[in-house]
Every structure is written in structure tokens, then in C-alpha cells.
Amino acid sequence: MASSMISSATIATVNRTSPAQASMVTPFTGLKSASAFPVTRKANNDITSLASNGGRVQCMKVWPPLGKKKFETLSYLPTLTQEQLAKEVEYLLRSKWIPCLEFELEHGFVYRENHRSPGYYDGRYWTMWKLPMFGCTDASQVLKEVEECKKEYPNAYIRIIGFDNKRQVQCISFIAYKPPGFST
């Protein structure tokens, strides 16, 4: 019965609008003025608390740009120890990601060989070592597979990848082993 209570003026207004006007949305008119918000200002006349870019900033140099190869995440750090690798794998497993190992026999890093267009790089896809480790719950299982891959391919680069099976994406990737003859 509520529909019968609409006035005839409302129906006439609806009928006069064109189909284009009926689908129009009112334009954005901006944010509310600052005068609508309460003002709380802290009176601070101390010039030393001002933000500064500063001339004495201490920063860590993370990547020398000449003569270095770019690998995956954490590649700017020194080679990870077995304990550090185990902690990274434990983080991967705690995050509910599926570990997987990949290896590369030739380059181990992205490079350009077959094409020169922007955004195209060779060496992004490596060979998978066995299947992803579905159901893996222990970092030692992953590190054991890294050792097996090293025995089978001693001159290969080996990386560990973590896949998120819900979002269907790769979430982490880092180098687990570089061959003995590795040159930067």
C-alpha cells in the first residue's frame, strides 16, 4: 500500500527526466571545509622539533650499482646462513604459504637476451625442483630438499618460493644457494 501514497507531483517529476539524466550521479564537490572541524593547535615555539631532511643522516648503503647481479628478495644482503634460511622458511610456513624450490643452471638472475622492449626480461622463469611441498610443516624438510637439489645440480642457483593457495600468488622468493663459482 505504500506505493499508492506517492503524490502525482513526484510521478510527473520522474516522467520528465530523460534516461541520461536518470543515470547521472551528482559530481564530487570536494571535502568539507576545515572550519567544520574543531581546532586543536599545540603552541610549540621550539624550532628544534621541526621536521628536517638533515645533513647528518646515517643510512645503510644497500646496493652498489656497478657490477652486481640482481636476484630475488634479500639479494642485497650477504649470503644467508643455514640458521637464517631456516628462519625465513619458518616465516614462510607460519604465513601458511606453500614452499617450492626452483633452480637455474645458467644465469640465476634476470637479463636481456632475446628481446629489448621495456618490461621484458629473460631468466624470470626457473625449473621447478619436484612439486610444491603441500602439507609441509617443518623448515627442516625444505632445507633437506635444498641439500638434495645441491647434490643433483651443484652448479645451479636455488631459490625458495612461497605460494599463497588462497590468493593464488607468489608471496616470497629468495635465493637459498649460489654455486661455488658464482661471480657478482
Side-chain angles (χ1 to χ4, degrees):
M1 286 292 143
S3 62
S4 64
M5 300 181 112
I6 298 176
S7 70
S8 59
T10 306
I11 293 171
T13 306
V14 170
N15 289 338
R16 277 186 262 147
T17 60
S18 68
Q21 289 174 328
S23 65
M24 289 180 58
V25 177
T26 58
F28 178 70
T29 57
L31 299 174
K32 295 180 181 179
S33 73
S35 62
F37 300 111
V39 177
T40 56
R41 295 199 181 170
K42 181 175 151 184
N44 188 358
N45 296 331
D46 183 15
I47 195 165
T48 61
S49 66
L50 296 176
S52 170
N53 196 4
R56 294 185 168 191
V57 176
Q58 299 292 323
C59 294
M60 178 178 136
K61 183 178 178 184
V62 294
W63 189 256
L66 302 173
K68 296 288 183 182
K69 304 290 185 201
K70 294 180 183 178
F71 292 97
E72 299 290 333
T73 310
L74 309 176
S75 65
Y76 58 89
L77 295 174
T79 304
L80 299 174
T81 65
Q82 286 298 316
E83 294 80 28
Q84 292 168 329
L85 270 176
K87 286 184 180 181
E88 287 298 321
V89 174
E90 286 168 4
Y91 168 74
L92 181 152
L93 294 171
R94 254 191 337 267
S95 300
K96 305 284 189 227
W97 297 332
I98 309 223
C100 179
L101 270 63
E102 291 182 335
F103 66 96
E104 171 63 34
L105 294 171
E106 295 177 16
H107 298 285
F109 50 88
V110 292
Y111 60 95
R112 288 184 178 221
E113 181 178 279
N114 297 317
H115 207 274
R116 300 285 184 234
S117 65
Y120 178 84
Y121 295 95
D122 295 302
R124 292 181 292 175
Y125 302 106
W126 292 19
T127 306
M128 188 182 299
W129 170 259
K130 299 185 180 178
L131 292 174
M133 300 176 73
F134 298 102
C136 179
T137 58
D138 188 17
S140 65
Q141 295 171 323
V142 178
L143 297 178
K144 181 180 163 228
E145 289 297 325
V146 170
E147 291 303 317
E148 284 186 30
C149 187
K150 275 199 265 188
K151 285 179 190 171
E152 184 80 23
Y153 300 102
N155 294 322
Y157 296 85
I158 302 170
R159 69 180 173 190
I160 299 172
I161 295 175
F163 290 107
D164 185 340
N165 64 343
K166 291 186 177 103
R167 294 186 296 160
Q168 299 291 310
V169 294
Q170 175 183 316
C171 296
I172 191 171
S173 174
F174 55 93
I175 300 291
Y177 175 76
K178 295 175 190 168
F182 165 71
S183 62
T184 59

